[in-house]
Amino acid sequence: VTQNVCYNDANGSIDLTVSGSVTPYSFNWSGAGVVNDTEDQTGLRGGQRYTVLVIDGNGCRENKTFDLAQPSQLDATITASQDICMGNDVTLYFNANGTPDWTYEYTDGTTIYTHTATESNFTLTHKPTVDVEYELIKVTDGKGCKAQLQGIAPVKVHPYPQLSVLNVSNNACLGEPFMIDIVMANGAPWSVKYTDGLNVYVEDNLTQIRDTIRVVPKHTGTNTYTIQSISTEHCTTDLNIDVNMEVFQYPSLVVNAPSFVCANDTLKM
């Protein structure tokens, strides 16, 4: 009996050898795809049971049963991290069962790639510049069996967010807010992180392209705020933008006056 190598193949065969009796022989087969009155059978599928009744020239009978196994289905999959930032690598994850080595063909819709793998699980990296979908074209294992293909790996490429400072409020008195006028691009809503050197602050859910950060200085003199980064859901751009503000103390007024005066007196302060 010759078994099939790959799932759902029809290459199995049964080769009979009959001896020790009187010819001629007749062969009565049962099973999918058999040809009766034939000694040997070819082109048989796996997962089937085949039975033959052999009758010799004296009418003697002999039954034999043969089982052809069904090889396991070969499956191959592709997946990927679905969101990346522009210029970053995307990691593709491949998996297949079967027998090493595996030969892969896959595409991003424009280019066809080939790869030979010695492990059933492995990764490859690419650096797409636009949104793409990676898809398997063909996978075969070391026995030449073709895989049933599963999965499409869509990848969305996000631009890094940008920020520019347009204007800063004029000098102010201690306790008054400063306004930092900013312009943002690529992928609202944004989050902006900044620091006064001691504390870190975050402005979340900014949705307007032009917006304002409101800060309240903590001391007089030069106050320096550093805008450290701008972020979207998927990408963060590191910044190092210093904004300087001069803060002044409010003037104080002290009034000295006598505790009492007489009528018609002149009061001096």
Side-chain angles (χ1 to χ4, degrees), residues 17-27 54-62:
T17 300
V18 182
S19 61
S21 57
V22 178
T23 60
Y25 306 110
S26 65
F27 303 91
V54 181
I55 305 174
D56 71 2
N58 290 329
C60 298
R61 298 166 174 257
E62 179 75 19

Side-chain angles (χ1 to χ4, degrees), residues 41 78 96 157 198 207 210:
Q41 299 291 327
I78 182 174
V157 181
L198 296 176
T207 57
R210 182 168 179 171

Side-chain angles (χ1 to χ4, degrees), residues 100-245:
D101 292 345
W102 293 267
T103 301
Y104 281 78
E105 288 186 15
Y106 64 101
T107 181
D108 59 6
T110 302
T111 304
I112 295 176
Y113 304 94
T114 60
H115 180 77
T116 300
T118 58
E119 300 292 336
S120 59
N121 295 281
F122 66 96
T123 62
L124 295 174
T125 58
H126 287 270
K127 196 186 295 288
T129 57
V130 296
D131 297 349
V132 296
E133 286 187 346
Y134 293 94
E135 185 175 6
L136 294 174
I137 299 173
K138 184 173 72 173
V139 178
T140 56
D141 73 353
K143 292 181 178 179
C145 299
K146 294 181 180 180
Q148 177 175 281
L149 309 179
Q150 300 177 16
I152 295 176
V155 178
K156 188 169 182 61
V157 181
H158 300 273
Y160 278 97
Q162 297 177 354
L163 180 147
S164 298
V165 175
L166 286 184
N167 187 48
V168 181
S169 299
N170 291 327
N171 300 337
C173 296
L174 185 64
E176 291 181 349
F178 274 94
M179 302 299 176
I180 304 175
D181 193 11
I182 58 175
V183 172
M184 296 167 288
N186 298 339
W190 299 279
S191 294
V192 176
K193 183 170 70 172
Y194 63 95
T195 180
D196 60 6
L198 296 176
N199 301 296
V200 175
Y201 309 91
V202 178
E203 295 284 343
D204 283 323
N205 298 317
L206 301 176
T207 57
Q208 301 181 53
I209 293 176
R210 182 168 179 171
D211 214 323
T212 301
I213 299 175
R214 182 178 181 273
V215 299
V216 180
K218 299 296 196 313
H219 60 83
T220 58
T222 301
N223 284 242
T224 299
Y225 287 83
T226 301
I227 301 176
Q228 296 177 317
S229 66
I230 178 172
S231 301
T232 57
E233 180 181 0
H234 301 288
C235 303
T236 295
T237 301
D238 292 327
L239 306 168
N240 188 28
I241 301 175
D242 288 337
V243 177
N244 295 317
M245 309 168 183

Side-chain angles (χ1 to χ4, degrees), residues 76-95:
T77 61
I78 182 174
T79 57
S81 48
Q82 296 186 351
D83 293 278
I84 64 169
C85 299
M86 179 70 72
N88 288 0
D89 289 337
V90 61
T91 300
L92 304 180
Y93 299 88
F94 296 86
N95 174 265

Side-chain angles (χ1 to χ4, degrees), residues 28-89:
N28 185 10
W29 288 90
S30 64
V34 297
V35 178
N36 261 320
D37 297 323
T38 301
E39 180 176 348
D40 300 325
Q41 299 291 327
T42 59
L44 304 180
R45 291 192 177 278
Q48 303 287 336
R49 171 166 287 186
Y50 298 91
T51 301
V52 62
L53 171 63
V54 181
I55 305 174
D56 71 2
N58 290 329
C60 298
R61 298 166 174 257
E62 179 75 19
N63 277 296
K64 286 290 184 181
T65 298
F66 307 92
D67 290 318
L68 266 69
Q70 178 68 280
S72 297
Q73 171 72 60
L74 178 60
D75 295 306
T77 61
I78 182 174
T79 57
S81 48
Q82 296 186 351
D83 293 278
I84 64 169
C85 299
M86 179 70 72
N88 288 0
D89 289 337

